[in-house]
Amino acid sequence: MMRYILTLTLFSTLSFSMDLTSLLQSVQNDSKKEMQAEKQRLQTFIDNKEKQKELLIQTEKELKKEELRTDKLKNLIDEKEKVLAKKEEELKIKAANLGEIFGSVRQTSSDFLINFQSSLTASEDLKKEEQFLKLSNSKKLANIQELKEFWHSMLDEIIKSGNIAQYDADVILATGEKTKEKVTRVGLFAATSNGKYLTYSNDMKSLVELTVQPSGSAVQLAKDFESSNEISNIIIDPTRGTLFEMIANNPTIMDRITQGGIVGYIILILGALGLLFALFKMIVLNISSIKIKKQMKNISEINQDNSLGKIAHIFYKNSNDSINDLEIKIGQAILKETTQIKKGQSFVKLLAAVTPLLGLLGTVTGMIATFQAITLFGTGDPKLMAGGISTALITTVLGLVTAIPLLFAYTYISSKSEELVSILEEQSIGLLAKTLK
């Protein structure tokens, strides 16, 4: 057994020795190859030594040349930096001026845009509005061409503001129809078509016929001005449309009456009836007064077409009766004539008292409507309350306007009636006095 173990050990040792020998042989071969390559590289370097020296000299020359160029470029950079600093300073100054120009252009174009949008000249050239709008909202300074166009547009507007022109333009009539009409424009102050005054609406981008035209003479002047080739008169609005709009917004008497509603109509009807009756009563009383005064001049010649004549007739008819009976009969006649004379004046007095109360009723109902509008819509829009307030105020005015003349008429009728009654009483007492004598 021992023998086999020794044999195996010996065999393993021999195998390991053979592997190490192979490894050593391989390493030695590699070392020889590397030594040969190194010798060859060194020999090549030695052979190129002169060439490397020349290359070094050439590189040093190029380095000096580049250093000189670097110095020149550095000096040039320094000079350019000075020039740049100077230019930057100039730029700041000019930029400040340009900033002022930018603000001025925006402000001027905004002002022109506002005026142009309500100007009569806008109906001739709508493209100007786009130009003014672009410059007024621009975030950068306009170029030279845009500034020139803006300047020319300004000059054109200035020229048009002082001349008279006729041209075809869209016109919206009072009926709502849009037609092409021949328009006559007088500067910025008036525009007419077919004798009708016009205003410009920026929302509709068109001329609009005024719903309420000036007086008839003004319309006639406009017609004559359109057809005339010579200098003639025409009504203009120096406020550039404000006065014409005020005319349109200024209601007529009928508009005011309509605002008063049903209460206003009732007041006017009662007032008209009262005034007509009062006028009739005043005429009757004056005729009676003339007849009574005529009868007074000759009381013995009885004429029964007047109150005094009727009383005198009763007196002379019953002159033979006792004084008490005669006095009673004359008193009855006076009472009858007094009732006839004063008949109806209480009706005038009633209307003079009722019409202000009706006006107060309209005021209350109008204020109720106003408070309802405030409850529903708040106080943000005054137009919502205008209807109720108008009714409230107009009915009060109508009531007072109706009551004042009725009150004067009642006072006149009452005083005239009292005057006639006094005459009848005085003349009756005179007739009775004759009987006593």
Side-chain angles (χ1 to χ4, degrees):
M1 184 68 180
M2 193 68 182
R3 180 179 174 184
Y4 288 113
I5 294 171
L6 289 174
T7 303
L8 181 60
T9 303
L10 180 61
F11 182 76
S12 298
T13 302
L14 289 174
S15 298
F16 183 73
S17 298
M18 290 179 66
D19 291 335
L20 290 176
T21 301
S22 298
L23 179 61
L24 178 60
Q25 186 65 33
S26 177
V27 170
Q28 287 177 351
N29 292 333
D30 291 338
S31 297
K32 286 180 181 180
K33 290 179 180 180
E34 290 179 357
M35 289 296 293
Q36 289 177 358
E38 183 66 22
K39 286 180 180 180
Q40 187 177 358
R41 186 185 67 78
L42 182 60
Q43 186 62 39
T44 302
F45 181 78
I46 291 172
D47 294 339
N48 296 330
K49 183 177 180 181
E50 294 298 328
K51 187 177 180 179
Q52 295 293 332
K53 186 176 180 180
E54 292 177 0
L55 185 60
L56 177 62
I57 293 171
Q58 182 179 357
T59 303
E60 290 177 350
K61 289 181 180 180
E62 291 179 356
L63 178 61
K64 289 181 180 179
K65 185 185 292 184
E66 292 298 329
E67 287 178 350
L68 291 174
R69 184 183 175 190
T70 301
D71 292 338
K72 290 180 180 180
L73 291 175
K74 185 177 180 180
N75 293 332
L76 182 61
I77 289 172
D78 293 339
E79 292 177 359
K80 295 299 182 184
E81 285 181 350
K82 292 179 181 179
V83 174
L84 180 61
K86 184 177 179 181
K87 295 296 182 183
E88 286 178 350
E89 188 66 26
E90 293 178 359
L91 178 62
K92 289 181 181 180
I93 297 173
K94 292 183 178 181
N97 294 333
L98 289 175
E100 294 179 1
I101 294 175
F102 174 68
S104 178
V105 169
R106 286 196 61 179
Q107 182 63 40
T108 305
S109 59
S110 297
D111 294 341
F112 256 80
L113 176 64
I114 294 172
N115 293 329
F116 184 79
Q117 288 178 339
S118 60
S119 175
L120 296 173
T121 57
S123 60
E124 293 187 58
D125 188 1
L126 296 175
K127 295 181 179 179
K128 287 183 181 179
E129 182 179 1
E130 299 178 1
Q131 180 184 8
F132 295 147
L133 185 63
K134 178 183 177 181
L135 292 177
S136 62
N137 297 328
S138 177
K139 302 297 182 182
K140 61 180 182 179
L141 182 63
N143 55 39
I144 298 297
Q145 183 63 28
E146 291 175 336
L147 291 176
K148 284 183 178 179
E149 292 177 356
F150 177 53
W151 171 242
H152 292 162
S153 299
M154 291 172 60
L155 286 178
D156 185 53
E157 283 298 301
I158 293 172
I159 293 171
K160 286 182 178 179
S161 66
N163 64 10
I164 300 171
Q166 286 188 330
Y167 55 93
D168 293 330
D170 292 331
V171 177
I172 299 177
L173 304 179
T175 59
E177 181 184 359
K178 188 174 184 179
T179 61
K180 203 79 170 180
E181 299 288 345
K182 186 175 183 181
V183 176
T184 302
R185 178 183 54 79
V186 182
L188 303 176
F189 311 110
T192 61
S193 176
N194 298 323
K196 302 293 185 180
Y197 283 86
L198 310 173
T199 184
Y200 181 75
S201 173
N202 185 59
D203 296 332
M204 300 180 182
K205 306 298 181 186
S206 175
L207 292 168
V208 180
E209 185 178 303
L210 293 177
T211 55
V212 179
Q213 294 289 327
S215 61
S217 60
V219 173
Q220 186 60 44
L221 285 175
K223 290 181 180 180
D224 297 339
F225 186 84
E226 290 176 7
S227 60
S228 176
N229 294 325
E230 300 178 355
I231 297 176
S232 58
N233 296 327
I234 187 173
I235 301 297
I236 64 172
D237 184 359
T239 62
R240 300 174 61 178
T242 303
L243 291 179
F244 284 150
E245 290 181 2
M246 290 177 65
I247 292 174
N249 294 328
N250 188 22
T252 61
I253 295 177
M254 289 304 301
D255 294 333
R256 293 294 190 190
I257 293 173
T258 303
Q259 289 176 351
I262 187 170
V263 178
Y265 287 116
I266 293 173
I267 292 172
L268 290 177
I269 292 172
L270 293 178
L273 291 175
L275 290 175
L276 288 175
F277 181 78
L279 181 62
F280 169 75
K281 191 65 179 178
M282 284 188 286
I283 294 172
V284 170
L285 290 176
N286 280 284
I287 292 174
S288 298
S289 176
I290 293 172
K291 291 180 178 180
I292 289 173
K293 289 179 180 179
K294 183 178 179 181
Q295 184 68 61
M296 286 173 58
K297 294 179 180 179
N298 192 357
I299 194 67
S300 60
E301 295 182 3
I302 300 173
N303 189 354
Q304 296 189 40
D305 63 348
N306 63 87
S307 299
L308 182 58
K310 293 176 181 179
I311 294 172
H313 173 71
I314 293 173
F315 172 78
Y316 287 116
K317 182 179 179 181
N318 301 283
S319 59
N320 296 324
D321 294 347
S322 63
I323 187 65
N324 291 331
D325 293 339
L326 185 59
E327 185 177 356
I328 291 172
K329 291 179 180 180
I330 291 177
Q332 290 176 348
I334 293 173
L335 181 60
K336 181 179 179 181
E337 296 301 323
T338 300
T339 303
Q340 188 65 30
I341 290 173
K342 292 186 176 182
K343 183 179 179 181
Q345 70 181 31
S346 59
F347 176 68
V348 178
K349 181 179 180 181
L350 175 64
L351 292 180
V354 167
T355 49
L357 294 178
L358 288 173
L360 180 60
L361 176 62
T363 300
V364 174
T365 56
M367 294 309 297
I368 290 173
T370 301
F371 290 134
Q372 287 177 344
I374 294 173
T375 303
L376 294 175
F377 306 103
T379 59
D381 189 358
K383 292 183 179 180
L384 296 174
M385 300 180 290
I389 293 175
S390 297
T391 302
L393 298 179
I394 292 301
T395 53
T396 302
V397 172
L398 292 176
L400 294 175
V401 168
T402 306
I404 291 172
L406 285 175
L407 186 60
F408 277 106
Y410 169 74
T411 303
Y412 178 83
I413 293 171
S414 178
S415 61
K416 195 69 176 177
S417 299
E418 294 295 334
E419 178 185 353
L420 295 179
V421 171
S422 298
I423 292 173
L424 294 179
E425 290 178 350
E426 289 176 359
Q427 293 299 317
S428 300
I429 293 171
L431 292 173
L432 291 173
K434 289 180 179 180
T435 302
L436 293 175
K437 291 180 180 179

